Amino acid sequence: IIEEDAVFIESFFTIPDEDIEFKLHLQSSWLLRFELDHAKMIDRKLTIPYVAGRIAESFKTDLFVIWSEDNSQKLIIHCRVLGGCDKNDHGLGTVEEDIFLRQLEKTMLNSVSLRISSLNYMYL
């Protein structure tokens, strides 16, 4: 639980959605939290829904992705792995899940293409 993200998370879940509610129990208790730089997003003509959409598209049914609004003070993307995860008696994810998320983060940062430029790809 990240208190500073509470407002955008609450607003995301305000409107009921059956698909989202169905996936809630599949979400990992761990998450990847990306904070994007406003100036760099503007310079590259990117929006947060576009970036989050590219992440979600790249990982299809394996990730649950939510994001803040473009006009938010901080541009935040939350990614949670979907699927059955082993939890210990306290409901906490295993250490292996933490390692998996670190590998997933590295994969995202190196391989999710945001736009094709004239010479090369721009990565997250």
Side-chain angles (χ1 to χ4, degrees), residues 70-83:
D70 274 318
N71 60 355
S72 298
Q73 184 177 6
K74 290 186 177 183
L75 300 177
I76 306 295
I77 298 174
H78 281 194
C79 301
R80 288 187 188 266
V81 175
L82 292 175

Side-chain angles (χ1 to χ4, degrees), residues 9-51:
I9 292 171
E10 185 178 314
S11 66
F12 184 85
F13 288 105
T14 299
I15 301 171
D17 183 318
E18 288 181 25
D19 289 338
I20 291 173
E21 289 179 19
F22 176 74
K23 294 176 183 176
L24 286 178
H25 75 282
L26 299 173
Q27 292 182 28
S28 166
S29 56
W30 294 76
L31 70 87
L32 286 176
R33 181 182 186 270
F34 294 98
E35 186 172 333
L36 306 176
D37 183 284
H38 274 282
K40 289 181 182 177
M41 294 285 285
I42 291 169
D43 287 346
R44 294 182 173 117
K45 297 181 176 94
L46 296 171
T47 65
I48 194 153
Y50 176 77
V51 173

Side-chain angles (χ1 to χ4, degrees), residues 56-96:
E57 183 181 310
S58 296
F59 293 93
K60 308 254 186 251
T61 59
D62 297 329
L63 282 184
F64 181 75
V65 182
I66 64 172
W67 56 92
S68 62
E69 297 293 325
D70 274 318
N71 60 355
S72 298
Q73 184 177 6
K74 290 186 177 183
L75 300 177
I76 306 295
I77 298 174
H78 281 194
C79 301
R80 288 187 188 266
V81 175
L82 292 175
C85 59
D86 296 330
K87 298 189 182 207
N88 64 22
D89 294 338
H90 304 290
L92 301 174
T94 61
V95 173
E96 291 80 19

Side-chain angles (χ1 to χ4, degrees), residues 92-103:
L92 301 174
T94 61
V95 173
E96 291 80 19
E97 193 171 0
D98 179 40
I99 293 168
F100 173 75
L101 281 176
R102 290 176 193 272
Q103 292 170 343

